[in-house]
Amino acid sequence: MEKKWWNDSVVYQIYPRSFQDSNNDGIGDLLGIIKRLDYLTDLGIDVIWLSPVYQSPNDDNGYDISDYQAISPDFGTMDDLEELIEESAKRGIKILMDLVVNHTSDEHYWFKEALKSKDNPYRDYYIWRDPLENGETPNELLSVFSGSAWELDEKSNQYYLHLYSKKQPDLNWENPKVRKEIYDMMNFWLKKGIGGFRMDVIDTIGKVPDELITTNGPKLHEYIKEMNRATFGQYDVLTVGETWGATPEIAKLYSDPARNELSMVFQFEHIGLDQIPGKPKWDTKELDFIGLKTVFSKWQNELGDKGWNSLFWNNHDIPRIVSNWGDDSPEYRVVSAKMFATFLHLLKGTPYIFQGEEIGLTNTPVTSIEEIDDIETINLYNERISEGYSNDDIFSSINKKGRDNSRRPMQWDNSNNAGFTEAEPWLALNPDYKKYNVLNDQKSETSIFTYYKNLIHLRKENELVVYGQYKELLPEDKQLYVYERYYAGETWLVVLNFYKKETTYIDEKARKGTIIISNYGDSSNNLSKLNLRSFESIVFKINEHK
Ligand code: NOJ
């Protein structure tokens, strides 16, 4: 496989609303990000994925766009964005824009026109269907954000499709004019020198609503190929598709370089492993650890040189991993956060760090609906109340899976509002910011931040981490995840205790190896039996050649 610049890159996701406020209106903004670029340089990342900063009524915090070519005044101006691209470039950092083209906002000009009449030229930019004879919705398609995916426009007595909120009408990709508008818009951004696109729910653009097909529709790859030809195919950029239900086979369709589609996929198979199969994400169970090993090994083994994957634990839709699958108590927060990081950053693929993950930020439990901002969570709450769930049940789901958990303001220091803003923040901070913040972490040699820096450095310095083969050992072990990476005659062994309970590991090779990194700092391998403490993780270079 031809090597690409993004093979050894590390991406950092910024949720702009919560990163850094520069004008004290309580909302993070572009100038705030610029102010923190040196921090990101210190961390060592190469790419920033910027969650949407476009004009938006914020029904879904920017994922409902009313003008793709204008910056939301909450975040600043187009000049600020250009400055961000420039200032980032000076530091060798590229900006990945979020491309949200499954839907627009209902306040987008196209939709406002479409609402005017059935024969408006923009009507066919969206997906309309007549009611059934009894007046009901055209079919039983559900919105990801609860309830039917169809909303009635009373004036024309037709339903429009919205896979997300009713303020996010789905675009009609069958219409070549829609596709052309989108490609023109993408070229507008590419000409500004961006580093590429993160493509929001791109797997849904080929939907066939009448057949209840939402993802992986028959024309999906035809559209992506066309998009590639019409836009980013001419540029050396990174394109990453958010593809919830991809399998390795599907991932190869997107990311096999010979097919001229995308650089990589961003798939979530591991994320669902604490959910009850067939139920909504809110119905959780204990993490299926053997399942986790099976899933990661499958992805590591099956893509070969015909595909590329993203590696992540967190993003703005997923709660904090250290709280959910690690242990965020004062005793284990640091070691468990480092263990999860070790696991991920030693795998093949492109690692993504979500803001605050690098200092081990935790979930923020809430007890009342007034504390919640996220539309998905609010809709879930209302739905479950109407279905008779108890408040306790609902909040237990929300505190485990709600998206606000990862969206709270960044914790820079222990001053008021953590240095995020001097005003009232748009969403309350996690009160633990007095203890857990960037300032403390940057000063410490043993902090999570310093550990992330070291992991990023390892990737930069060792092709084995980027391109090496993967081999899992002990697939049946219920507590240890052990794998090897090997490349050009060198082998590394990664031993991770995923749990608080101590355990042992016997491996003659490890005993003779040298320790490259470990999350306790004082790990030792001079015994034939390794004693692994709570969440201990050790990476060895072993003296064996493959
Ligand atoms: C996926 C995004 O990551 C999420 O935040 C958003 O709500 C939906 N797509 C709809 O755009």
Side-chain angles (χ1 to χ4, degrees):
M1 196 148 119
E2 193 197 334
K3 291 182 179 167
K4 297 283 192 184
W5 64 263
W6 37 261
N7 289 138
D8 69 356
S9 290
V10 175
V11 182
Y12 187 90
Q13 184 192 351
I14 290 185
Y15 196 67
R17 187 160 287 273
S18 296
F19 194 60
Q20 176 67 63
D21 182 12
S22 74
N23 61 350
N24 289 319
D25 62 355
I27 300 175
D29 47 47
L30 293 166
L31 294 181
I33 299 175
I34 295 173
K35 204 172 127 197
R36 296 296 184 179
L37 283 175
D38 289 337
Y39 166 72
L40 298 177
T41 309
D42 184 22
L43 179 58
I45 56 103
D46 309 275
V47 180
I48 292 171
W49 154 18
L50 200 57
S51 273
V53 289
Y54 315 98
Q55 187 177 296
S56 162
N58 287 315
D59 187 53
D60 186 18
N61 283 348
Y63 284 90
D64 49 319
I65 297 169
S66 53
D67 186 342
Y68 289 106
Q69 282 162 237
I71 299 295
S72 159
D74 280 352
F75 299 128
T77 62
M78 193 59 88
D79 283 349
D80 297 344
L81 187 87
E82 284 167 5
E83 192 182 328
L84 173 64
I85 296 174
E86 229 171 85
E87 286 300 317
S88 303
K90 282 188 199 158
R91 295 162 174 86
I93 295 175
K94 297 177 200 276
I95 301 290
L96 213 61
M97 296 298 279
D98 215 315
L99 182 80
V100 187
V101 290
N102 171 68
H103 44 266
T104 65
S105 160
D106 64 342
E107 298 182 32
H108 194 288
Y109 171 76
W110 302 337
F111 194 72
K112 287 203 237 164
E113 283 295 304
L115 278 180
K116 287 186 177 162
S117 69
K118 281 189 184 171
D119 54 13
N120 185 282
Y122 290 94
R123 183 77 173 180
D124 198 29
Y125 274 41
Y126 296 88
I127 300 171
W128 301 92
R129 294 289 182 270
D130 290 329
L132 297 181
E133 269 174 22
N134 60 9
E136 282 189 3
T137 55
N139 60 33
E140 62 269 31
L141 270 183
L142 291 178
S143 153
V144 176
F145 293 166
S146 306
S148 171
W150 297 101
E151 180 71 11
L152 185 66
D153 164 41
E154 287 186 1
K155 189 166 147 219
S156 65
N157 194 36
Q158 279 196 319
Y159 284 95
Y160 66 86
L161 181 75
H162 60 92
L163 291 183
Y164 293 88
S165 99
K166 59 182 179 208
K167 283 183 68 62
Q168 292 168 298
D170 276 49
L171 284 165
N172 177 16
W173 273 75
E174 294 271 344
N175 182 345
K177 285 196 209 135
V178 168
R179 306 206 298 275
K180 167 93 173 48
E181 298 256 23
I182 290 170
Y183 303 155
D184 288 350
M185 173 272 283
M186 291 173 73
N187 285 325
F188 165 88
W189 287 107
L190 286 162
K191 284 195 195 113
K192 289 197 184 291
I194 62 167
F197 292 107
R198 174 268 182 181
M199 302 186 176
D200 191 69
V201 290
I202 200 68
D203 55 347
T204 54
I205 61 172
K207 68 184 80 69
V208 190
D210 301 315
E211 293 172 30
L212 305 180
I213 297 174
T214 53
T215 55
N216 301 315
K219 292 202 184 147
L220 170 63
H221 294 282
E222 183 184 316
Y223 295 154
I224 296 177
K225 280 186 194 305
E226 181 184 76
M227 179 194 276
N228 178 312
R229 280 195 304 273
T231 65
F232 57 83
Q234 344 282 329
Y235 296 80
D236 186 15
V237 294
L238 186 171
T239 50
V240 49
E242 188 197 22
T243 57
W244 277 82
T247 60
E249 281 317 302
I250 293 176
K252 289 185 216 169
L253 298 178
Y254 289 108
S255 60
D256 178 349
R259 289 175 48 87
N260 293 320
E261 294 195 13
L262 307 180
S263 317
M264 65 185 87
V265 296
F266 195 95
Q267 57 74 32
F268 294 76
E269 196 173 352
H270 55 296
I271 294 299
L273 291 168
D274 63 359
Q275 288 161 218
I276 301 175
K279 295 256 183 120
K281 74 173 192 185
W282 308 99
D283 298 310
T284 58
K285 62 177 174 81
E286 201 137 290
L287 169 67
D288 170 6
F289 179 59
I290 298 291
L292 186 86
K293 302 212 282 189
T294 312
V295 166
F296 271 100
S297 288
K298 177 176 76 180
W299 281 92
Q300 289 291 305
N301 290 328
E302 290 184 18
L303 289 184
D305 58 2
K306 296 258 181 304
W308 196 260
N309 197 6
S310 308
L311 305 167
F312 66 95
W313 288 123
N314 295 283
N315 77 7
H316 64 294
D317 295 328
I318 308 172
R320 299 286 183 181
I321 197 75
V322 67
S323 298
N324 276 14
W325 295 355
D327 186 327
D328 62 9
S329 68
E331 205 177 347
Y332 298 111
R333 186 186 67 98
V334 172
V335 275
S336 68
K338 288 179 183 175
M339 187 280 290
F340 278 96
T342 314
F343 170 71
L344 208 75
H345 285 258
L346 267 296
L347 288 175
K348 184 173 179 182
T350 298
Y352 286 65
I353 300 170
F354 178 67
Q355 65 183 47
E357 174 184 336
E358 76 281 14
I359 54 166
L361 293 191
T362 62
N363 284 348
T364 310
V366 292
T367 51
S368 80
I369 185 71
E370 287 72 42
E371 293 174 84
I372 297 171
D373 168 80
D374 170 33
I375 174 138
E376 181 189 40
T377 315
I378 293 173
N379 288 358
L380 174 275
Y381 174 85
N382 291 329
E383 182 178 271
R384 295 222 155 164
I385 285 287
S386 74
E387 288 168 357
Y389 282 75
S390 75
N391 234 44
D392 281 0
D393 273 356
I394 302 177
F395 279 98
S396 135
S397 296
I398 289 177
N399 288 329
K400 194 113 215 212
K401 287 286 184 175
R403 303 194 298 179
D404 284 350
N405 277 310
S406 51
R407 297 178 175 187
R408 296 199 178 262
M410 184 67 179
Q411 300 176 193
W412 295 105
D413 55 42
N414 60 11
S415 69
N416 242 352
N417 292 327
F420 165 68
T421 183
E422 282 167 26
E424 176 83 8
W426 73 278
L427 184 67
L429 282 114
N430 186 323
D432 68 14
Y433 73 82
K434 297 267 176 202
K435 288 180 293 179
Y436 306 148
N437 57 57
V438 166
L439 195 66
N440 282 348
D441 258 44
Q442 264 188 317
K443 283 193 298 221
S444 156
E445 277 302 302
T446 58
S447 67
I448 301 173
F449 175 81
T450 303
Y451 195 79
Y452 267 81
K453 272 176 77 164
N454 295 340
L455 286 172
I456 294 173
H457 195 70
L458 280 182
R459 179 168 295 263
K460 297 285 168 210
E461 297 297 307
N462 297 279
E463 290 212 316
L464 173 144
V465 179
V466 184
Y467 301 108
Q469 302 272 23
Y470 164 96
K471 184 175 165 213
E472 188 190 350
L473 311 179
L474 308 185
E476 305 298 327
D477 195 287
K478 293 194 174 59
Q479 160 154 19
L480 283 175
Y481 198 137
V482 184
Y483 64 87
E484 286 179 349
R485 300 288 311 279
Y486 50 96
Y487 184 75
E490 194 174 315
T491 302
W492 289 17
L493 174 74
V494 184
V495 182
L496 309 121
N497 178 7
F498 261 70
Y499 290 91
K500 184 155 42 177
K501 203 171 124 215
E502 302 197 349
T503 185
T504 54
Y505 175 62
I506 302 172
D507 189 331
E508 201 40 35
K509 286 181 290 186
R511 195 172 69 80
K512 294 190 194 139
T514 45
I515 295 180
I516 290 181
I517 191 168
S518 86
N519 62 347
Y520 272 79
D522 63 351
S523 302
S524 129
N525 64 329
N526 52 18
L527 303 167
S528 59
K529 188 165 85 178
L530 270 182
N531 289 317
L532 290 159
R533 290 164 279 184
S534 307
F535 301 105
E536 186 158 4
S537 56
I538 316 175
V539 182
F540 301 94
K541 182 173 176 172
I542 58 181
N543 304 320
E544 180 202 65
H545 293 269
K546 282 222 163 92

